[in-house]
Amino acid sequence: IREWNDLLPRFERLCVPVEEGQRIQVEELLFEVLYIPDPAFTTNANNNSSIVLRLTVDDMLPGGIELAEGCEMARRFCAAGAAAIQASGGTQERIWNISPCYRMKEGYLIPAARAVKQVVDKPVIAMGKLGDPKLAEHVLESGAADAVSLGRPLLADPYWPEKVRKGETDLIRRCVGCL
């Protein structure tokens, strides 16, 4: 992972207002999450709770976090106790790459999930326009990920899983990528 100071110029603009006269820098929050070990960030077998982390592993932005760095962060989070990683991509600076519209290719984050899967020993969840049941199945069968996330496809058709189970995939109301 690059030195933290190398990433600071990009985060300087991103501040969270707390109250009049106070601001918490996003980079300070990220620094705490990434570099300060927290005993609470472990799987707790006594109450069957665990941490599943949705992690941006590629900002898709020049000067941002690149896939190799994202994979290293995923590896560190898993070593710290994360139970699974959902490999995400994009940044709020360019909303089009975190809310995939109709122009984005189906399964555009599969390579990110596959890369994370190669470096962690925990389950990896793929995401990113996986609403086509054949594509979702391919992700699992190919070993690119252990699970798929279906956020927008389930908004478009909450009966997606049932229709797939019944083999009625032609009846699925497809997400058209309008959000």
Side-chain angles (χ1 to χ4, degrees):
I1 295 179
R2 286 180 276 171
E3 289 296 316
W4 191 251
N5 288 336
D6 293 341
L7 294 175
L8 288 181
R10 193 168 148 260
F11 291 115
E12 283 177 353
R13 305 185 299 284
L14 305 174
C15 298
V16 180
V18 178
E19 58 184 52
E20 191 65 36
Q22 288 188 319
R23 297 176 81 76
I24 296 176
Q25 298 292 322
V26 170
E27 66 267 15
E28 291 172 6
L29 297 175
L30 292 173
F31 183 84
E32 288 183 20
V33 170
L34 289 174
Y35 295 105
I36 298 175
D38 185 347
F41 188 73
T42 58
T43 302
N44 184 337
N46 293 333
N47 65 12
N48 295 323
S49 64
S50 57
I51 302 284
V52 176
L53 182 66
R54 180 175 179 171
L55 179 65
T56 296
V57 295
D58 187 349
D59 278 344
M60 300 180 199
L61 186 71
I65 295 169
E66 296 174 359
L67 186 55
E69 294 171 300
C71 287
E72 176 61 15
M73 288 189 290
R75 188 192 66 73
R76 289 182 186 191
F77 277 120
C78 285
I85 299 287
Q86 182 180 14
S88 183
T91 172
Q92 290 289 342
E93 292 179 65
R94 293 199 177 152
I95 194 75
W96 59 265
N97 62 17
I98 60 166
S99 296
C101 67
Y102 61 91
R103 296 177 293 152
M104 298 294 282
K105 179 181 171 188
E106 286 188 336
Y108 74 103
L109 288 173
I110 294 171
R114 182 176 284 115
V116 170
K117 182 119 172 83
Q118 292 175 354
V119 299
V120 302
D121 60 354
K122 305 288 175 69
V124 174
I125 304 164
M127 60 180 292
K129 294 190 79 168
L130 299 176
D132 178 344
K134 289 180 182 174
L135 178 60
E137 187 65 28
H138 173 74
V139 168
L140 300 174
E141 288 177 351
S142 71
D146 301 294
V148 295
S149 175
L150 299 170
R152 288 174 182 82
L154 293 178
L155 288 173
D157 189 344
Y159 300 103
W160 190 100
E162 182 69 14
K163 291 175 181 176
V164 171
R165 188 183 66 74
K166 289 181 177 179
E168 299 173 345
T169 58
D170 56 326
L171 299 177
I172 292 175
R173 186 178 9 202
R174 304 287 177 145
C175 171
V176 296
C178 64
L179 296 176

